[in-house]
Amino acid sequence: MGLTEGHQAKTVWENPAEIVRSLKPENPVMVFAPTVLQDRARAFLAGFPGLVTYAVKSNPDEAVIQNLVQAGIRGFDVASPFEIDLIGRLAPMAARHYHNPVRSRAEIAHAVGAGIKAWSVDSRTELDKLFEQVPPENCEISPRFKLPVLGAAYDFGSKFGATPELAADLLRAVHDRGYIASLTFHPGTQCTDPHAWEQYIRTAAEIAGMAGVQPRRLNVGGGFPSWRVHGVEPDLASIFELIGRTTAEAFGGNAPELVCEPGRGICADAFAIITRVKAVRDGQSVFLNDGVYGGMNELPVIGNLDRIEVLTPEGKLRGENAHGRVVFGPTCDSVDRLPGEISLPDNIQEGDYVVFHGAGAYSVVTNTRFNGFGELRQLTVMGFD
Ligand SMILES: *Cc1c(COP(=O)(O)O)cnc(C)c1O
């Protein structure tokens, strides 16, 4: 029974090639490897010198949340009433950090009702709203600060984050009102330069000095890189080590407890997207059945995923010789093009499959139905080899 039964009954596949071979899917498929996800979560839990929380927005799929709980994740970064309630339902014992620094009064009321005890803030006006609505007992507020962007593929600082001077004022105000005073930052997503964390942590110690307040915790954000580019697997262990060492150096004996909130770094490598070649137009540009309105929404902003395999409908790998091609998605909108050129095998053909590895972050959740496309199915695999 089980794996040897007919394809319809099958729920777990060996790898993407088996899905291609047996189903020849006409629509794009998001392929999920729970074992890879759990391994990533355990690498963070074992290596990061503090509490690991998962940034729900990067992939809020229920199977993802459930596997993370199974792997031992006990905290989540949530940004909306929907995410607060999702985690309340799927992981009722877990900590929820409401780290979207701008909230309506109705959203604050919802979060208070749901029992939220950790908040971030980056302005005086938003802090005053929290003071009005959030009881201080056993409740943590973390001013979020920013530095000019360093090392990340995509800067979050243009939207959120106080200057260090303002963060010091906010930290002092939080402390004086009787809340637990902590600090937080986010170095920007896909941050491949570990020294970004180093500079942020040293600045956090300066903010504490300016405020005359020792933060209880320091949340070093997300931004941990996933494996997007061929051949270079990011070295998380050395980032963890640098974060721990810099915190001890910068704060001395009074070091705050550390927290991190990775999204991409945990979920991205646990997924691949299987797309199909609709056309190779006059031997040149390649049209796929998924693109920037689908599971590859963030590629124009942070760059191509180049861990790609091209498979024949029989699941065989296409040849080694490759050259750069312009790649379009299926919609009639000229924005629907992957950035630059992508190296694809010379003998790629209509009906082949292009598998993009490392596609689990900001993909399932940003898929649209624009132009009637976006029928994105999710299937489970044992692994990717
Ligand atoms: C999006 C976000 C994260 C996760 O960022 P990644 O780059 O996916 O790790 C963490 N914290 C906050 C506050 C965020 O907004």
Side-chain angles (χ1 to χ4, degrees):
M1 298 296 277
L3 293 185
T4 54
E5 275 186 349
H7 299 321
Q8 297 311 320
K10 193 154 183 159
T11 55
V12 181
W13 305 81
E14 199 59 40
N15 53 30
E18 192 198 7
I19 291 174
V20 164
R21 207 164 47 236
S22 348
L23 298 182
K24 305 204 186 342
E26 182 56 23
N27 289 317
V29 179
M30 193 55 87
V31 182
F32 174 37
T35 52
V36 175
L37 183 73
Q38 292 209 20
D39 285 350
R40 295 295 287 177
R42 289 196 195 96
F44 271 86
L45 290 166
F48 181 78
L51 176 67
V52 179
T53 66
Y54 172 68
V56 173
K57 80 169 187 291
S58 59
N59 188 328
D61 186 86
E62 296 200 2
V64 167
I65 306 299
Q66 282 157 348
N67 274 279
L68 291 177
V69 170
Q70 248 184 4
I73 296 287
R74 295 289 175 266
F76 294 86
D77 161 44
V78 291
S80 61
F82 177 90
E83 291 182 358
I84 288 170
D85 295 346
L86 176 75
I87 299 305
R89 178 164 59 80
L90 296 178
M93 306 307 281
R96 289 169 295 176
H97 299 167
Y98 191 2
H99 280 184
N100 180 343
V102 177
R103 313 163 184 89
S104 72
R105 287 171 203 274
E107 288 168 340
I108 296 169
H110 183 100
V112 170
I116 296 300
K117 292 288 188 189
W119 311 70
S120 73
V121 74
D122 68 355
S123 66
R124 223 27 264 198
T125 47
E126 296 307 295
L127 182 58
D128 287 341
K129 279 153 77 172
L130 296 185
F131 284 168
E132 274 175 44
Q133 289 182 255
V134 182
E137 290 74 38
N138 200 22
C139 186
E140 175 183 54
I141 299 181
S142 306
R144 173 166 166 180
F145 67 99
K146 67 175 169 191
L147 296 173
V149 67
L150 328 138
Y154 180 45
D155 179 16
F156 287 7
S158 62
K159 184 163 183 184
F160 293 132
T163 61
E165 292 72 25
L166 176 57
D169 289 348
L170 298 173
L171 187 68
R172 169 98 248 145
V174 166
H175 177 264
D176 288 351
R177 288 287 284 241
Y179 296 84
I180 298 166
S182 292
L183 282 171
T184 187
F185 63 83
H186 190 304
T189 202
Q190 187 68 13
C191 185
T192 49
D193 180 3
H195 297 288
W197 278 279
E198 191 176 358
Q199 265 184 270
Y200 268 98
I201 292 166
R202 293 197 189 285
T203 305
E206 287 165 21
I207 292 169
M210 278 189 269
V213 172
Q214 271 309 310
R216 171 86 59 90
R217 299 202 287 188
L218 174 60
N219 187 319
V220 300
F224 298 89
S226 65
W227 190 16
R228 298 177 58 80
V229 185
H230 205 77
V232 193
E233 194 168 4
D235 176 11
L236 287 177
S238 65
I239 300 177
F240 296 155
E241 194 275 329
L242 183 66
I243 288 172
R245 178 160 43 87
T246 307
T247 306
E249 276 170 23
F251 287 88
N254 242 341
E257 292 165 37
L258 288 169
V259 184
C260 67
E261 48 190 15
R264 177 190 308 284
I266 286 186
C267 68
D269 294 342
F271 287 77
I273 306 182
I274 302 176
T275 65
R276 191 164 205 188
V277 177
K278 297 177 63 169
V280 181
R281 194 168 57 179
D282 293 338
Q284 303 291 324
S285 49
V286 172
F287 281 68
L288 300 179
N289 63 354
D290 195 38
V292 309
Y293 290 98
M296 294 186 277
N297 178 278
E298 70 161 5
L299 269 51
V301 181
I302 82 160
N304 281 324
L305 285 168
D306 79 351
R307 291 172 56 225
I308 290 174
E309 280 170 322
V310 178
L311 303 174
T312 68
E314 293 70 44
K316 293 253 164 16
L317 211 52
R318 281 282 179 209
E320 288 286 296
N321 294 331
H323 67 276
R325 313 254 194 163
V326 173
V327 177
F328 292 105
T331 72
C332 296
D333 183 324
S334 51
V335 169
D336 195 3
R337 173 191 165 167
L338 302 189
E341 292 193 343
I342 291 190
S343 182
L344 294 170
D346 295 344
N347 58 351
I348 191 171
Q349 283 176 26
E350 177 189 342
D352 281 355
Y353 290 88
V354 182
V355 182
F356 295 81
H357 290 276
Y362 309 104
S363 54
V364 177
V365 69
T366 51
N367 179 52
T368 77
R369 301 307 305 258
F370 180 46
N371 239 181
F373 297 103
E375 179 76 44
L376 188 65
R377 202 172 161 197
Q378 189 160 304
L379 296 176
T380 302
V381 287
M382 303 293 290
F384 295 118
D385 299 327

